[in-house]
Amino acid sequence: MSWELGTASGLLLALVVVASLLSGGEAYGTGAPLSACTSQQPGHYGFTAQTSASPYSLTVSSSEYTPGQTLTVQITGADFQGFLIQARKVGTTTAVGFFTSLPSGTKSNNCDNAVASGDNTATHSSTAAKRDLTLTWSAPENQAGQGTIEFVATVAQQKATYWMGITSAQLSEATSGGATGATPTGSSQTGSPMTTESSTPGSGATMATTFNLLLLAIPAFLAKLLM
C-alpha cells in the first residue's frame, strides 16, 4: 500500500512540473514576460541563444531622433514567431520612448528598466508567423536629453531557435527647435549706446571754430607778404 502511495505521489509531482512548464510556454507564446525586460532573455526552458550571425536586422527610418518625433523601426529577415524590442540609451539597458499604433500580433509591455512607465517595450502577442514587421516609436518631448540611442531586440524564429543582442544603427539626438533667447539678426540687445560722430560733446563745434579762424587769418597773412 505504501509503495502505491509513493508511486502516486511521484506521478502527481511529475504532472505538476510538466503542467508548470507547459503553462510557462503558453505564457511566452503570448508575449515576453516582464522578467525578460532587462536581459531580453526568453524563458525557453532547455534552449539557449544562437551564436551564429543573426538572420534578422533592425532598420530605422531616420539616423537621428527629435523629442516629440515619431519614427519607424522594422525587423527584417526570415519569418519569425516572437520578439522583444526596446529603444535604449547606448551603453545601458535603460529603455526610452514609447511604441504606438502596434500592428496585429504584437503588444506593448510596461517594463521597469525605462526612463518612464508606459508602452516602452514591444513584443509579440501570438506565435503567428511574422516577416518584415514595422513598429512605430515616439520620443516624447519630456524625455529630451537622453543622448544617442539604438534599438535592441531578441528575435525568436521558433521556441528553440532565437538570437539575442540584435541592434540597429545608432541614432543621435537632434534639438526640437532653434536656440531660445538668441539675439535676432539686425537688432541690438546689448544695451550699449551706438557710437556717432557727435558722441563727444562739443567736438564738432571746436573743429568748425578753428577752421573759421584759419580762414580769417589768411587775408592778413597775404597782405603782409605784399607789403
Side-chain angles (χ1 to χ4, degrees):
M1 183 70 177
S2 61
W3 178 84
E4 292 177 349
L5 289 174
T7 302
S9 298
L11 288 173
L12 181 59
L13 178 61
L15 288 173
V16 169
V17 171
V18 170
S20 176
L21 292 175
L22 289 176
S23 63
E26 287 298 320
Y28 301 148
T30 57
L34 293 178
S35 59
C37 287
T38 301
S39 67
Q40 295 197 343
Q41 173 72 55
H44 298 175
Y45 298 104
F47 304 105
T48 58
Q50 301 297 304
T51 57
S52 59
S54 170
Y56 304 102
S57 59
L58 305 179
T59 304
V60 187
S61 61
S62 177
S63 61
E64 64 179 15
Y65 72 98
T66 302
Q69 175 195 36
T70 296
L71 52 81
T72 61
V73 54
Q74 186 178 56
I75 303 174
T76 60
D79 287 356
F80 62 94
Q81 294 181 339
F83 72 96
L84 176 68
I85 186 170
Q86 293 176 331
R88 291 181 169 182
K89 297 169 65 173
V90 171
T92 76
T93 57
T94 303
V96 298
F98 301 111
F99 289 91
T100 61
S101 305
L102 289 169
S104 175
T106 70
K107 68 177 186 178
S108 64
N109 273 355
N110 180 11
C111 288
D112 58 8
N113 64 316
V115 173
S117 61
D119 301 330
N120 49 49
T121 305
T123 186
H124 57 283
S125 60
S126 75
T127 55
K130 305 165 186 64
R131 178 188 284 263
D132 297 339
L133 182 68
T134 299
L135 303 167
T136 302
W137 177 87
S138 65
E141 290 183 323
N142 61 2
Q143 289 189 23
Q146 301 304 318
T148 304
I149 66 168
E150 62 187 354
F151 288 89
V152 183
T154 290
V155 179
Q157 194 171 69
Q158 54 186 348
K159 182 175 180 178
T161 310
Y162 61 90
W163 285 263
M164 296 178 59
I166 303 169
T167 58
S168 71
Q170 295 183 358
L171 288 74
S172 58
E173 181 177 9
T175 56
S176 57
T180 58
T183 301
T185 302
S187 66
S188 175
Q189 299 290 328
T190 61
S192 300
M194 295 181 65
T195 301
T196 64
E197 289 184 354
S198 60
S199 60
T200 302
S203 60
T206 301
M207 291 179 64
T209 302
T210 303
F211 184 73
N212 289 334
L213 290 174
L214 288 173
L215 289 177
L216 292 173
I218 288 173
F221 178 74
L222 292 176
K224 288 183 179 182
L225 286 178
L226 295 174
M227 288 178 65

